[in-house]
Amino acid sequence: MDRKRTVAVLFGGQSSEHEVSCMSAVNVIGAMNPEKYEIVLIGITKEGRWLLTESLEEIQKGTWRESRIQAVLLPDAAEHGVLMMEGERVRKKRIDVVFPVLHGMYGEDGTIQGLLEMAGIPYVGCGVLASAVSMDKAYTKQLVEPLKIRQADYVLVTRMELDSMDDCVRRVEEKLTYPVFVKPSKAGSSKGVSQAKNREELEAALREAARHDIRILVEEKILGREIECAVLGAYEPEASGVGEILAADTFYSYEAKYFNNESRTVLEPQFPEGVLEEVRQCALRIFKAVDGFGLARVDFFLEEGTNQVIFNEINTMPGFTGISMYPMLWAKQGLEGGKLIDRLIELAFERER
């Protein structure tokens, strides 16, 4: 293909991971070869406004939110375009492919993927089904269960049930022992996640999680190492090596991930014999079970004392920040920066074909 491909990069979004998305987008855009791609930057504010962004510097400074140019994706499949509007001035831009660097709700949950399917525009990452079920940790657990891969025991609670808090707490205490982890079923980047060591903390954690989602997952605490594996590809995907998270907190919280310099990632951790390959194979099986396509990061625990591999969650649009495991694992395999982005964009066209 002689001409440049026009790539629309979507970033920001309405989820609690808005800031993380902006950080990821800076690295994705910075790795794209301007000789191969004409890049159209579209930021989505927390209020849901779509704005044309002129430069990478605007994203870095946060001034993109002041743009006066709206950029609306056309759902008409014959158009393959974005409508740009500034006052009475309207122009249309044809788009070849979209890279939705969006995390969390309205970005990683199948909604933007459905809009792009309707518009007939190729896009990077998993499709509607994989995005939706992987975003919801409770549904992911149900899909993975037949694979006989061990998962943490859990209790599912809804926001409406919290009106009878004593009943919710009793259900948790009948099945699990303290400490437990409380998670919004559909939040990411550890937003709204808390550890509860007693009944009082459990009630507070349930209320905090309910601020982020209607469905709340209460899980047993797994003592062990936090490890991650990156998956890349289409119908015959590949698994990367396995990295380890060394959190500078009691768990890998949002603050520990992005704002504590003492949290570290290890790209070549030492494992007991057989563990590395077991994790890689489990990651591929889970990716296929959710109908994954393009990319995902699959997270596990390696249990202390037993060395059992325990599935934690799958992320269909993993972070691309400067400390994110997904790009670092593939860089270790020789797919650094621009090479990884090129591969992901090629996969978008492969699905279209």
Side-chain angles (χ1 to χ4, degrees):
M1 187 172 184
D2 293 331
R3 71 174 180 86
K4 289 183 180 181
R5 284 171 165 164
T6 304
V7 183
V9 178
L10 306 184
F11 64 91
Q14 293 175 262
S15 83
S16 56
E17 297 180 83
H18 177 95
E19 287 79 12
V20 180
S21 169
C22 294
M23 289 191 284
S24 289
V26 166
N27 288 315
V28 168
I29 297 158
M32 295 176 72
N33 186 345
E35 294 183 4
K36 288 185 179 181
Y37 308 112
E38 180 184 356
I39 308 168
V40 178
L41 306 179
I42 301 174
I44 304 172
T45 69
K46 290 182 179 180
E47 297 73 34
R49 298 192 67 220
W50 290 43
L51 302 175
L52 184 68
T53 302
E54 299 291 349
S55 68
L56 187 60
E57 185 180 20
E58 287 185 7
I59 305 174
Q60 292 169 320
K61 290 183 176 179
T63 55
W64 65 270
R65 299 175 185 88
E66 301 166 13
S67 173
R68 298 182 179 217
I69 307 175
Q70 288 180 275
V72 179
L73 185 71
L74 292 169
D76 189 331
E79 295 289 345
H80 274 226
V82 171
L83 208 60
M84 301 172 183
M85 299 172 288
E86 184 177 14
E88 296 183 358
R89 185 182 174 215
V90 178
R91 58 194 171 99
K92 189 168 65 179
K93 180 76 174 177
R94 185 172 176 83
I95 301 296
D96 293 315
V97 62
V98 170
F99 198 136
V101 190
L102 298 166
H103 307 308
M105 293 290 288
Y106 306 123
E108 197 177 354
D109 61 353
T111 49
I112 193 71
Q113 289 77 15
L115 179 59
L116 292 167
E117 293 277 356
M118 286 179 60
I121 302 176
Y123 59 93
V124 170
C126 288
V128 175
L129 175 65
S131 300
V133 298
S134 298
M135 187 69 210
D136 192 305
K137 296 175 179 66
Y139 280 116
T140 307
K141 282 180 174 289
Q142 293 172 34
L143 281 175
V144 171
E145 193 171 331
L147 302 180
K148 305 300 182 187
I149 296 170
R150 187 180 157 192
Q151 308 180 69
D153 284 339
Y154 69 99
V155 174
L156 185 64
V157 177
T158 67
R159 183 188 295 159
M160 292 71 75
E161 291 172 327
L162 296 187
D163 291 336
S164 302
M165 181 64 80
D166 288 344
D167 290 340
C168 293
V169 170
R170 185 170 55 253
R171 277 204 292 132
V172 171
E173 292 179 337
E174 284 173 354
K175 186 170 183 181
L176 307 175
T177 57
Y178 293 109
V180 294
F181 277 105
V182 183
K183 306 175 178 180
S185 194
K186 288 185 287 191
S189 285
S190 298
K191 277 285 191 177
V193 177
S194 307
Q195 182 179 198
K197 299 188 285 292
N198 53 51
R199 179 173 292 197
E200 183 181 357
E201 290 183 0
L202 174 60
E203 291 180 4
L206 287 168
R207 292 190 182 97
E208 172 59 24
R211 293 178 55 244
H212 298 269
D213 194 13
I214 291 175
R215 288 152 54 84
I216 304 159
L217 210 59
V218 184
E219 289 185 329
E220 67 168 322
K221 180 178 181 178
I222 304 295
L223 290 174
R225 299 162 68 180
E226 296 188 48
I227 55 179
E228 301 179 347
C229 183
V231 179
L232 174 68
Y235 306 107
E236 294 296 332
E238 301 173 71
S240 70
V242 177
E244 181 174 8
I245 300 296
L246 300 178
D249 205 339
T250 52
F251 69 99
Y252 204 34
S253 64
Y254 181 79
E255 287 73 20
K257 281 181 182 178
Y258 301 109
F259 302 107
N260 193 326
N261 292 331
E262 293 183 17
S263 291
R264 294 191 298 116
T265 53
V266 181
L267 298 182
E268 291 185 306
Q270 296 300 306
F271 294 120
E273 186 176 351
V275 166
L276 176 61
E277 191 55 31
E278 181 181 356
V279 171
R280 295 178 73 249
Q281 290 306 314
C282 285
L284 290 171
R285 290 172 63 204
I286 292 165
F287 185 76
K288 291 177 180 179
V290 301
D291 194 32
F293 190 100
L295 77 162
R297 194 194 72 236
V298 192
D299 301 347
F300 300 88
F301 297 107
L302 186 63
E303 190 175 37
E304 187 178 292
T306 68
N307 286 326
Q308 277 198 332
V309 174
I310 303 172
F311 169 62
N312 183 24
E313 64 182 39
I314 179 170
N315 296 270
T316 53
M317 185 52 72
F320 279 81
T321 72
I323 59 166
S324 294
M325 185 74 86
Y326 187 89
M328 288 195 290
L329 284 171
W330 284 116
K332 194 74 179 172
Q333 307 275 103
L335 275 179
E336 67 277 346
K339 292 180 182 177
L340 177 59
I341 301 305
D342 288 348
R343 176 70 179 130
L344 290 169
I345 290 173
E346 283 304 321
L347 285 166
F349 287 109
E350 184 175 328
R351 174 169 48 205
E352 189 73 4
R353 288 192 292 271

